Amino acid sequence: MLNRPGQTGETLRSFAQARGRYIGAAVAPGPLLGEPVYAETLAREFNMLTPENALKFGRTHPSRDRYTFQDADAIVAFAQANGMVVRGHTLVWHEVLPRWLTAGAFTRDELLPILHEHITTVVGRYRGQISAWDVVNEALGSDGAWRNTFWYKTIGPEYVDLAFRWAREADPQARLFYNDYGGEGMGRKSDAIYELVQGMRRRGVPIDGVGLQMHVRLDASPEPAEVAASLQRLAALGLAVHITEMDVRIQGPATEEKLTRQASIYRDMLRVCLAAENCGAFVFWGFTDRHSWIPRYFPGWGAALPFDEAYRPKPAYRALIEALKTP
Ligand code: G3I
């Protein structure tokens, strides 16, 4: 078929596999079950999947005594059928919380067992089937201070350590990550993430890695050397890094020139990851411009992913392949 990569077996997946790395994409159950080319492209190009929304608190735990796993189950089953691993996203976040929780006026003593039960139930259900979890997502603000979230307000900063301990108990095999954005290079946010996870290591909290989201813009992306330095200092703490949500958004029409610059950003970031031994996974937040959070959240912006709206590979795709092929 025209414009389809992979006819020669040269896929992101095959090259990543050869280098012992995971290459992944965030997925939604609607297109996964409804658009054959979505599922075909995923199975061909990726060996790791992240449910984009299906494992968030409000989705899995819609009322206090009821859990729903239909969407997450469908994604996990697809991954297993296609020999892919799953990243779990996310157990503790301040968004997508159900009303029963946020309007419940729970005290600290009431909220702790609720969170414990939630983590135990969700992680326990996928024990052995989800290889890495974003246990806590975005606990720090852009200035690096604690974000004054629902969890922070009632429990205090200790919620982070507790969440990791409970996740470890629920699945001792799963790798546990702290995930955040804006800390990919160097600077205040990156320092704050580093200090947070350094403290966790010192306290003996079971954390295995840091997820760097990497939602970047064509005109503002981190310096590769700074990202390399960031990966390196996390490695020195004994931590893995996953690039967890990469996209490169473009403002206005996606001209050839912009797509070429976008391709360089993708290539540079993947190269930095490949050069770092502790950077085991490189995940995009989606894979096709047909299904991306960007246009809805940033009107006038889009074309952020390696495949276009018709599932055709963009210059970014070819740049990623080149990066993977280059020793
Ligand atoms: O499920 C409803 C659907 O029934 C309805 O028809 C539709 C109408 O707009 O909305 C659907 O829900 C939306 C959902 O995405 C699925 O498309 C929610 O309104 C919308 O808020 C939700 O946005 C997600 C957002 O997180 C909030 O959960 C985005 O898809 C998702 O890409 C985004 O992902 C986050 C990561 O989890 C954390 N890091 C940042 C990243 C981007 O914001």
Side-chain angles (χ1 to χ4, degrees):
M1 207 180 273
L2 276 183
N3 292 323
R4 292 275 187 86
Q7 302 301 305
T8 56
E10 300 211 334
T11 62
L12 296 174
R13 177 178 183 154
S14 62
F15 288 121
Q17 204 111 344
R19 299 192 66 161
R21 309 287 176 126
Y22 288 110
I23 190 120
V27 300
L32 181 66
L33 303 174
E35 287 179 58
V37 60
Y38 183 97
E40 280 160 30
T41 309
L42 276 175
R44 187 183 68 227
E45 300 290 347
F46 302 101
N47 54 9
M48 176 178 261
L49 296 183
T50 306
E52 183 174 359
N53 292 302
L55 283 167
K56 292 174 181 174
F57 202 120
R59 300 294 185 99
T60 57
H61 200 170
S63 50
R64 188 162 181 181
D65 51 4
R66 194 168 67 91
Y67 288 85
T68 49
F69 293 113
Q70 213 180 314
D71 286 348
D73 282 356
I75 293 169
V76 170
F78 176 83
Q80 287 173 350
N82 290 285
M84 308 154 109
V85 298
V86 180
R87 291 194 90 260
H89 174 84
T90 174
L91 298 167
V92 191
W93 191 28
H94 56 279
E95 287 192 32
V96 202
L97 295 176
R99 264 197 67 75
W100 68 264
L101 184 65
T102 53
F106 296 113
T107 64
R108 186 177 198 270
D109 285 350
E110 290 166 337
L111 194 53
L112 286 171
I114 289 173
L115 182 58
H116 186 198
E117 186 214 84
H118 177 81
I119 291 175
T120 305
T121 305
V122 178
V123 176
R125 179 182 179 89
Y126 297 105
R127 189 180 168 122
Q129 301 181 75
I130 287 190
S131 60
W133 271 104
D134 289 335
V135 177
V136 174
N137 192 44
E138 300 169 9
L140 303 172
S142 312
D143 60 356
W146 283 101
R147 201 187 273 274
N148 195 19
T149 67
F150 171 78
W151 302 109
Y152 185 85
K153 278 183 203 152
T154 311
I155 301 178
E158 199 194 352
Y159 82 86
V160 173
D161 291 8
L162 289 170
F164 277 81
R165 294 191 193 282
W166 292 334
R168 180 67 99 226
E169 277 166 24
D171 185 353
Q173 300 308 317
R175 305 290 83 196
L176 306 181
F177 283 71
Y178 173 73
N179 191 50
D180 212 328
Y181 65 84
E184 292 80 12
M186 285 300 183
R188 219 183 199 186
K189 180 74 180 265
S190 174
D191 290 348
I193 294 171
Y194 177 79
E195 282 156 25
L196 171 68
V197 299
Q198 182 184 45
M200 292 169 74
R201 294 286 283 172
R202 284 204 191 116
R203 294 190 293 279
V205 176
I207 179 172
D208 301 296
V210 172
L212 299 175
Q213 294 184 8
M214 197 75 79
H215 293 290
V216 305
R217 303 164 22 167
L218 190 61
D219 58 341
S221 59
E223 282 301 320
E226 289 196 12
V227 179
S230 173
L231 300 188
Q232 214 281 317
R233 70 174 170 174
L234 292 167
L237 291 179
L239 292 170
V241 172
H242 286 176
I243 303 301
T244 50
E245 306 185 13
M246 185 163 182
D247 48 25
V248 182
R249 60 186 182 271
I250 290 176
Q251 191 170 29
T255 59
E256 275 308 307
E257 186 269 329
K258 289 185 200 171
L259 291 173
T260 304
R261 278 195 287 138
Q262 178 185 54
S264 319
I265 296 173
Y266 271 115
R267 187 193 53 226
D268 289 350
M269 294 304 139
L270 180 54
R271 275 189 185 156
V272 167
C273 176
L274 290 170
E277 246 173 66
N278 64 326
C279 186
F282 198 91
V283 181
F284 309 106
W285 206 237
F287 62 99
T288 163
D289 293 335
R290 188 180 185 88
H291 300 287
S292 161
W293 70 295
I294 295 292
R296 202 147 37 96
Y297 279 74
F298 300 98
W301 294 75
L305 291 162
F307 291 84
D308 73 10
E309 294 192 6
Y311 294 94
R312 288 177 303 226
K314 293 160 64 178
Y317 175 85
R318 288 180 281 275
L320 291 161
I321 290 276
E322 282 313 311
L324 287 166
K325 278 170 89 165
T326 312

